[in-house]
Amino acid sequence: AQKVTQAQTEISVVEKEDVTLDCVYETRDTTYYLFWYKQPPSGELVFLIRRNSFDEQNEISGRYSWNFQKSTSSFNFTITASQVVDSAVYFCALRRSSYKLIFGSGTRLLVRP
Amino acid sequence: EAGVAQSPRYKIIEKRQSVAFWCNPISGHATLYWYQQILGQGPKLLIQFQNNGVVDDSQLPKDRFSAERLKGVDSTLKIQPAKLEDSAVYLCASSLLANTGELFFGEGSRLTVL
């Protein structure tokens, strides 16, 4: 069975703090893809990153970084020096090749000025 | 490049009434998805099309929900008759590649069933 768990329902931080959003996944497949999406108040899901199961290199994109660890089945997302515009719901998702994208329940991030 | 277009943005109906949502994907994207997102939950796939053929509709409540994608471009999702538990945001998405590509989402259609 495939499953994505985002245990943090809601996180509140003050602007400029660093924040990490946790994602734990379950799958028996050796080939799979992991994603992070951002859902701002407008409702549209915005793609942030895709990582395949054979690439465990961490990735940094500006203030965003992702830590993929197959040993712990985790794909965590860190925002450095958070800003108010980062306030949104963030979803982690899992996909087998050719199969549907399964989302976690999301983490609501509130960045206070 | 235009994004995924959806309409209407909001719809309020009474239970047992019917409703239809429309989606126009990004030009050239062969794969189209309809997701249901209930408040406080992650999106759940209802149906996936590859061109105008159905790839996965295992979680579509077929007794009341139907979807079609004529000519492999835009798509319509219909609910008839609606139930209270159908209140949700219906998200349409498209992707260029069916197996590895990222999904591009529309802003969604929010349905309230009274």
Side-chain angles (χ1 to χ4, degrees):
Chain A
Q2 297 191 101
K3 186 179 177 182
V4 177
T5 301
Q6 294 181 256
Q8 303 152 309
T9 304
E10 188 166 324
I11 300 176
S12 180
V13 299
V14 176
E15 206 170 17
K16 297 193 176 71
E17 284 185 19
D18 298 347
V19 58
T20 294
L21 309 181
D22 298 332
C23 173
V24 174
Y25 62 92
E26 293 178 29
T27 181
R28 295 178 182 170
D29 296 310
T30 55
T31 301
Y32 52 89
Y33 298 85
L34 295 164
F35 298 76
W36 276 95
Y37 279 84
K38 174 182 179 180
Q39 189 173 41
S42 63
E44 184 176 343
L45 281 152
V46 177
F47 167 79
L48 295 178
I49 189 172
R50 177 185 63 233
R51 173 68 73 228
N52 74 55
S53 52
F54 298 107
D55 182 4
E56 286 193 73
Q57 268 195 322
N58 291 330
E59 181 156 338
I60 298 174
S61 176
R63 297 184 297 106
Y64 295 170
S65 62
W66 291 269
N67 183 288
F68 177 28
Q69 291 194 332
K70 287 178 75 171
S71 60
T72 56
S73 296
S74 64
F75 186 42
N76 296 336
F77 172 31
T78 297
I79 302 175
T80 302
S82 60
Q83 300 176 1
V84 173
V85 292
D86 295 328
S87 296
V89 180
Y90 291 86
F91 290 96
C92 180
L94 168 68
R95 184 179 200 177
R96 285 189 292 172
S97 184
S98 301
Y99 286 82
K100 60 193 173 194
L101 194 62
I102 295 175
F103 286 86
S105 55
T107 297
R108 181 178 298 278
L109 174 64
L110 175 63
V111 182
R112 308 187 311 275
Chain B
E1 177 183 81
V4 176
Q6 290 188 245
S7 67
R9 286 295 312 277
Y10 305 93
K11 190 74 176 178
I12 301 174
I13 61 173
E14 295 189 351
K15 60 182 179 183
R16 291 188 288 274
Q17 287 187 325
S18 63
V19 63
F21 302 112
W22 173 83
C23 172
N24 186 252
I26 293 174
S27 178
H29 282 195
T31 311
L32 185 147
Y33 314 78
W34 282 102
Y35 279 83
Q36 181 193 56
Q37 186 177 18
I38 293 173
L39 187 64
Q41 298 181 17
K44 181 185 82 171
L45 180 70
L46 292 175
I47 189 167
Q48 176 180 343
F49 292 94
Q50 180 70 20
N51 295 310
N52 57 351
V54 175
V55 173
D56 185 342
D57 64 355
S58 57
Q59 296 195 83
L60 186 74
K62 298 179 185 64
D63 58 335
R64 298 182 300 104
F65 286 65
S66 64
E68 59 182 9
R69 190 183 184 196
L70 299 176
K71 301 179 182 178
V73 182
D74 56 356
S75 176
T76 302
L77 175 71
K78 296 179 182 177
I79 306 174
Q80 182 179 14
K83 291 185 175 181
L84 297 177
E85 59 261 36
D86 299 331
S87 293
V89 176
Y90 291 87
L91 296 162
C92 180
S94 68
S95 67
L96 186 60
L97 299 173
N99 55 350
T100 62
E102 64 264 32
L103 277 63
F104 295 85
F105 285 82
E107 291 183 315
S109 295
R110 183 178 297 276
L111 173 66
T112 301
V113 182
L114 303 176

